[in-house]
Amino acid sequence: MTLINPTQAIEEYIGEQFVEWLVNFIPQEVASWPFMAQISHVHPTPAKLKKFMVQRFLAAEAWFGRKSGDPGFLRFALANLSESDDPLAESSLEILEKKRQDELAGHRLENDVIQTATREQWLRFLKALGLSLEEIERAQAKEMTRNYIADLSDVYSNSEWQMALGTMFAQELAESEEFRIYVSALKQNTSLTDHDLEVFTQTHQPQAKFSTHLLDKLVFDPESKALVWEGVRKQLDIRHDFLTALGKYLAA
């Protein structure tokens, strides 16, 4: 599919066509960011790489919420959807709630922290980088990470539900491309194994395909497409600013 601009896509594509355009547009947009070229070419010291990845881990924790009382992005989105009586919103709510239950199946609480399979993968990766569990647990989110979490929490909580779904869809696709580039860079700069890097290769692969089913029936009328696109744009803008600021940890 030719990557036309967003205005043309909203005007010309509907349903699966529009979703397919997003599936192609979002990774290419992420790959074009200067930060992605930076991380692909720099050779950071182990200390700098640790600082960068700890902040990236803390940002990732915001999906489910780190503590048992922290709703996380997904719960914010579910609460948003639950306020609409639109049948499509209700259908999306049911699917996402089932997805959340499946992803949290088998999780446990340890020191009031939600322990999921994804968190365990992150911990394994960070330990392989040379961080101790004590260092990981006492790590604090820096300003750029706090802003990222606050900005996305606001979008998921307070936007139109179609926009929230667009933001979630873009998060999965953008993160998949981001992680793909991380794996390449980490293999060049470290001796980490494929097992150590599983958090970047296994966590999100099925999710984008899953989310296309939530959008296929939604993006037919211009208003819904515009709202979905606004959510996509918000995700990309917030993520771009976060990674650009976070990139200072990798600078020479």
Side-chain angles (χ1 to χ4, degrees):
M1 176 181 290
T2 302
L3 286 186
I4 63 177
N5 66 53
T7 301
Q8 288 177 295
I10 291 172
E11 291 176 353
E12 298 178 18
Y13 294 151
I14 61 172
E16 292 182 4
Q17 278 186 316
F18 187 71
V19 173
E20 183 183 350
W21 173 79
L22 288 173
V23 167
N24 285 278
F25 176 88
I26 293 167
Q28 290 203 20
E29 177 68 15
V30 172
S32 74
W33 294 344
F35 165 79
M36 294 304 174
Q38 176 191 6
I39 198 170
S40 296
H41 294 101
V42 298
H43 300 285
T45 64
K48 289 181 177 180
L49 191 57
K50 289 176 188 177
K51 288 181 179 180
F52 175 88
M53 284 301 177
V54 163
Q55 291 302 308
R56 193 60 193 80
F57 160 68
L58 293 174
E61 292 264 85
W63 178 246
F64 283 116
R66 188 172 193 182
K67 300 286 187 178
S68 60
D70 180 359
F73 294 156
L74 183 54
R75 286 292 297 274
F76 281 133
L78 288 169
N80 189 331
L81 285 165
S82 69
E83 295 178 359
S84 174
D85 57 4
D86 187 308
L88 286 175
E90 294 174 0
S91 176
S92 298
L93 175 64
E94 182 178 340
I95 293 170
L96 284 174
E97 185 59 62
K98 175 64 165 57
K99 179 174 181 285
R100 178 178 179 274
Q101 291 171 1
D102 290 344
E103 290 187 0
L104 287 176
H107 81 283
R108 67 186 193 282
L109 287 179
E110 187 175 303
N111 297 326
D112 200 36
V113 176
I114 302 171
Q115 306 292 334
T116 63
T118 300
R119 177 179 168 82
E120 290 175 1
Q121 288 177 330
W122 267 108
L123 293 179
R124 182 168 68 240
F125 163 69
L126 292 172
K127 289 176 183 177
L129 274 184
L131 287 148
S132 68
L133 183 59
E134 182 182 4
E135 288 176 306
I136 298 168
E137 292 299 334
R138 69 167 184 255
Q140 297 293 318
K142 301 300 184 183
E143 182 180 7
M144 77 284 286
T145 308
R146 295 196 302 270
N147 289 342
Y148 166 83
I149 294 171
D151 290 345
L152 278 182
S153 295
D154 181 61
V155 174
Y156 283 126
S157 298
N158 300 316
S159 62
E160 297 285 345
W161 66 269
Q162 298 97 324
M163 184 174 163
L165 283 183
T167 303
M168 181 182 297
F169 179 72
Q171 177 169 324
E172 294 169 355
L173 285 167
E175 207 155 74
S176 179
E177 178 64 16
E178 179 190 342
F179 284 2
R180 183 189 68 79
I181 294 173
Y182 288 174
V183 169
S184 177
L186 286 163
K187 286 188 173 182
Q188 291 178 34
N189 291 284
T190 72
S191 58
L192 297 180
T193 67
D194 289 341
H195 184 59
D196 296 328
L197 298 173
E198 277 183 350
V199 69
F200 301 121
T201 58
Q202 295 187 7
T203 305
H204 295 281
Q205 285 182 355
Q207 293 187 23
K209 292 181 180 179
F210 173 89
S211 291
T212 59
H213 300 302
L214 299 180
L215 295 187
D216 279 349
K217 297 180 180 179
L218 174 61
V219 287
F220 277 89
D221 63 276
E223 181 181 359
S224 292
K225 284 188 288 184
L227 285 170
V228 167
W229 166 249
E230 181 65 11
V232 169
R233 188 188 65 78
K234 283 282 189 181
Q235 172 66 233
L236 293 176
D237 287 349
I238 292 168
R239 184 171 296 269
H240 174 274
D241 291 349
F242 168 58
L243 293 176
T244 299
L246 194 58
K248 73 177 186 180
Y249 288 120
L250 301 177

